[in-house]
Amino acid sequence: MDVIDALQSRHCTRAFTEKPIDRELLMKVLDAANTSPSYANSQPWEVFVVAAEPLKKLRNVFIEKFRAGIPMTPDIPMAKLWPEPYKSNIGSTGAAHLEHLGIARDDKAKRAENLVKSLNCFGAPAVIYLCLSKELTHWSFYDLGLFSQSLMLAAQHYGLNTMPAAVIAVYPDLIREELAIPDNLNIILGIAIGYGIPGDLNNQFFTTRRSLDEFVRIKGI
Ligand SMILES: Cc1cc2nc3c(=O)[nH]c(=O)nc-3n(C[C@H](O)[C@H](O)[C@H](O)COP(=O)(O)O)c2cc1C
């Protein structure tokens, strides 16, 4: 698959089959992501993959904690205030997503049910947790973003689907304990990986983007 095809065909997969992901294939994806550039080649990414029984255990406790009303305490706090136009981009995407799923904005029960599906790691057979040393700066977040996108494009090339999700890292203590993640690392993001269920409503939501003239300024060409 060429890179443009991978970019254009990647989108969020929010419902996976149970088909396990082959370890060798996973290593190929990670190997490709490992070619990503980083500030002064610092290569700040630390990666923890969880699958099978340990993942089932994690999903179950995520859902248990949520149902018990235990507050979500991600290592990187959720951003509360978004300036315009980003706030509107988030608002319109969220509204379109709920409409696509047929969930009314004020239907708390259905929204909670949908959140449970997310906390179930979307049913994916594996999750890749991306971590960074707590001593690093903004530059390393930049690098981890590059690594993430490389990983998702490589997955696409190898016929796998992905789902980057902050929501599967909202109970970091549980993940840290299960995966023996050292205390000096922040758990930044989980990327669920596997095979999407074709035709599932959750996988048929397609987001839009701003047009280039809204954010590109060019002088000289
Ligand atoms: C850092 C990051 C965190 C995200 N967290 C979540 C999440 O917690 N739940 C979710 O449903 N989607 C999450 N997403 C997916 C975005 O909502 C999605 O990428 C965006 O709406 C664009 O849609 P697309 O990926 O299908 O093109 C996250 C994406 C990124 C890059």
Side-chain angles (χ1 to χ4, degrees):
M1 180 179 282
D2 81 26
V3 72
I4 300 297
D5 286 342
L7 283 163
Q8 289 175 342
S9 61
R10 184 218 60 83
H11 73 281
C12 283
T13 294
R14 290 187 173 87
F16 289 84
T17 69
E18 286 178 8
K19 183 179 172 184
I21 163 167
D22 176 70
R23 190 186 168 108
E24 256 178 53
L25 190 58
L26 174 72
M27 297 311 266
K28 280 187 183 172
V29 170
L30 292 170
D31 209 30
N34 196 27
T35 63
S36 303
S38 60
Y39 198 117
N41 203 22
S42 48
Q43 306 163 67
W45 35 83
E46 299 292 341
V47 176
F48 295 80
V49 182
V50 59
E53 284 312 309
L55 177 57
K56 271 188 199 153
K57 189 172 155 192
L58 269 185
R59 289 166 171 169
N60 290 343
V61 274
F62 290 164
I63 294 169
E64 242 170 62
K65 296 261 173 203
F66 170 66
R67 292 211 162 116
I70 308 291
M72 299 176 172
T73 52
D75 284 348
I76 307 304
M78 301 273 177
K80 288 210 166 66
L81 295 173
W82 293 87
E84 291 296 352
Y86 320 112
K87 187 178 170 188
S88 294
N89 295 339
I90 293 172
S92 57
T93 303
H97 194 196
L98 287 178
E99 193 185 341
H100 173 81
L101 296 175
I103 301 176
R105 208 172 177 75
D106 56 358
D107 190 338
K108 283 195 181 152
K110 278 210 174 143
R111 289 180 71 155
E113 207 180 290
N114 194 45
L115 185 52
V116 165
K117 283 188 193 162
S118 303
L119 292 169
N120 192 40
C121 300
F122 311 92
V127 173
I128 301 170
Y129 280 106
L130 302 177
C131 302
L132 281 181
S133 162
K134 291 178 180 170
E135 292 170 275
L136 293 168
T137 68
H138 293 340
W139 288 111
S140 304
F141 279 84
Y142 184 98
D143 298 339
L144 197 68
L146 296 172
F147 183 88
S148 305
Q149 174 76 333
S150 301
L151 188 158
M152 293 190 281
L153 296 180
Q156 201 68 14
H157 169 78
Y158 288 115
L160 292 158
N161 301 114
T162 51
M163 177 64 216
V167 72
I168 54 180
V170 292
Y171 296 116
D173 294 352
L174 302 174
I175 306 166
R176 193 167 269 115
E177 192 186 326
E178 184 61 32
L179 305 184
I181 300 179
D183 283 343
N184 69 316
L185 297 183
N186 274 325
I187 302 169
I188 313 295
L189 191 76
I191 300 185
I193 186 165
Y195 301 90
I197 302 174
D200 190 294
L201 183 70
N202 290 288
N203 296 338
Q204 289 167 337
F205 175 61
F206 298 96
T207 50
T208 58
R209 298 293 187 269
R210 290 191 282 169
S211 61
L212 295 189
D213 58 13
E214 289 178 64
F215 66 94
V216 178
R217 298 89 177 163
I218 299 178
K219 201 173 172 185
I221 54 164

